[in-house]
Amino acid sequence: MRVVLAPDSFKGSATAEGVVRALEEGLRRADPSIETLARPMADGGEGTLAAFLSATAGAVRHPLVVEGPAGPAHASWVELPDRTGVVELAAVSGIELLAGTLRPWDAHTIGVGQAIADALDHGVERLLVGIGSSASTDAGTGLLTALGARFLTAAGRPVAPGARGLRSVATVDVSRLRTLPAGGVSVLCDVRSLLTGETGAARVFGPQKGFTDAECRRVDGDLHAFAALLSRALPAARPDAPGAGAAGGAGFALSGWGGVMRSGAAAVAERVGLGAAIAGADLVVTGEGRFDGQSARGKVAQFVRDAAAEAGVPAVVVAGQVSLDADTSGFAEVVSLTDLAGSSVDARRDPSRWLRRAGGVLAERLRP
């Protein structure tokens, strides 16, 4: 049996490569005849740089120190042999960099802009910017500031970074905003949220970044007022465009700069050769840390399931936890590490152990 292993990372617990290794070990322990093909995935969030690095011979990692959401952060971006630069928001301005202490009002995207600027300084001809796993709701003001824009108060002073400064923006100056590379910018994102409203950046994702319900409503209003200002300065910035609300509004800012939204999972799948691998497989295994109601909205597990279905290959999903609202239709099997371990705490404490166990369980269930 040939099995394609194409999981996302289990956020905060295991990288996609680590998930692949553990599943592979569990499958082969149970059935040494199983042949595995590793295709670690990402959707523009955590693990995107690693996916491009592992799939591209000659890719180069460029380290740099950026202004992260909680202070200086050691980060990097990746240069591909065709002069494409890959920047991952999660690595420079991501929520994992906060180490559990959320900063909803002050976290920002300055580091993303600094990484993009460094890539431009190195002469990249095009950019891929993955914008998942953000820590902030600053509407991309931080990244645009790092690229030369200025956001000023009525007194002509720079506004505070993060969501805190949105309400005081009176002037938007983009006269010194850096130009896009010749090949353009693709924004890798599978979140389709608008910037504001019930499905917007603050109302949907604000609570997980630390805002109260009342604060979410206030920030939603601030985003609405700011959007009118930025859209006048950068007409391509459309708050009602799908993906504008991604990464706390970073999608809105990048589209205003000239970036084009693209499915992150599709871009990574193309780079790692997922389609060709699935075409010759008997089974596809995907997964993510939490498989829930949002997983069917463009995330890796849903993308891989659909790709497998198109090729007529059964797919299974392994997840740290499977919520009650998860759409498991289309999967031949669903395995929860929480169920195997007895609790989510134990599953997170030693994910590799339970991923190996999951591999063994799958091998037993699918044995002819």
Side-chain angles (χ1 to χ4, degrees):
M1 175 180 283
R2 176 175 290 184
V3 179
V4 173
L5 301 174
D8 198 352
S9 63
F10 283 32
K11 185 179 294 186
S13 297
T15 65
E17 292 88 345
V19 174
V20 166
R21 286 194 299 270
L23 286 172
E24 187 174 50
E25 185 176 342
L27 284 164
R28 288 181 173 172
R29 280 183 181 176
D31 186 348
S33 70
I34 290 177
E35 177 186 353
T36 58
L37 294 175
R39 295 295 185 270
M41 285 286 293
D43 61 5
E46 179 185 89
T48 298
L49 285 187
F52 277 93
L53 270 173
S54 65
T56 311
V60 177
R61 186 187 291 272
H62 291 271
L64 75 164
V65 177
V66 300
E67 189 174 339
H74 291 273
S76 62
W77 59 276
V78 167
E79 182 179 356
L80 305 181
D82 64 357
R83 304 292 291 158
T84 296
V86 185
V87 173
E88 178 190 305
L89 182 149
V92 290
S93 301
I95 197 166
E96 296 297 325
L97 298 179
L98 296 179
T101 303
L102 301 177
R103 304 179 74 234
W105 289 105
D106 301 305
H108 52 72
T109 54
I110 293 173
V112 183
Q114 291 173 329
I116 291 173
D118 194 59
L120 294 175
D121 290 344
H122 277 78
V124 298
E125 296 178 2
R126 65 194 61 80
L127 277 168
L128 303 178
V129 184
I131 60 170
S133 306
S134 73
S136 62
T137 312
D138 72 346
T141 52
L143 71 88
L144 290 178
T145 297
L147 291 173
R150 295 197 304 160
F151 301 96
L152 307 175
T153 67
R157 300 186 181 90
V159 302
R164 188 178 302 281
L166 289 176
R167 177 167 289 197
S168 58
V169 176
T171 301
V172 176
D173 177 5
V174 295
S175 60
R176 298 178 184 177
L177 185 63
R178 296 190 65 157
T179 57
L180 276 68
V185 176
S186 293
V187 183
L188 308 186
C189 173
D190 290 307
V191 171
R192 308 300 288 166
S193 297
L194 311 185
L195 181 65
T196 61
E198 292 295 328
T199 62
R203 301 293 285 273
V204 174
F205 301 105
Q208 69 190 41
K209 296 176 184 180
F211 287 121
T212 65
D213 288 345
E215 289 171 332
C216 286
R217 290 191 291 273
R218 171 187 162 176
V219 174
D220 185 64
D222 294 345
L223 288 169
H224 182 79
F226 172 75
L229 293 173
L230 188 68
S231 295
R232 284 199 290 270
L234 297 173
R238 292 181 48 218
D240 59 345
F252 173 63
L254 286 167
S255 63
W257 187 41
V260 177
M261 291 288 178
R262 184 182 179 193
S263 164
V268 174
E270 179 182 313
R271 175 63 60 169
V272 305
L274 180 67
I278 289 176
D282 300 299
L283 180 72
V284 179
V285 180
T286 187
E288 58 190 38
R290 179 177 173 81
F291 189 68
D292 57 23
Q294 293 191 34
S295 298
R297 300 174 186 171
K299 291 192 176 183
V300 165
Q302 174 263 339
F303 181 89
V304 174
R305 179 197 65 188
D306 291 350
E310 186 174 342
V313 179
V316 302
V317 63
V318 176
Q321 188 171 16
V322 179
S323 68
L324 294 177
D325 65 342
D327 177 10
T328 60
S329 61
F331 287 105
E333 293 282 349
V334 178
V335 179
S336 163
L337 302 191
T338 294
D339 290 347
L340 294 177
S343 73
S344 60
V345 173
D346 287 337
R348 285 194 298 267
R349 183 178 294 123
D350 190 358
S352 293
R353 173 189 176 187
W354 298 109
L355 283 163
R356 288 191 293 270
R357 176 60 181 146
V361 167
L362 284 175
E364 291 297 327
R365 289 182 183 177
L366 300 168
R367 192 186 301 276

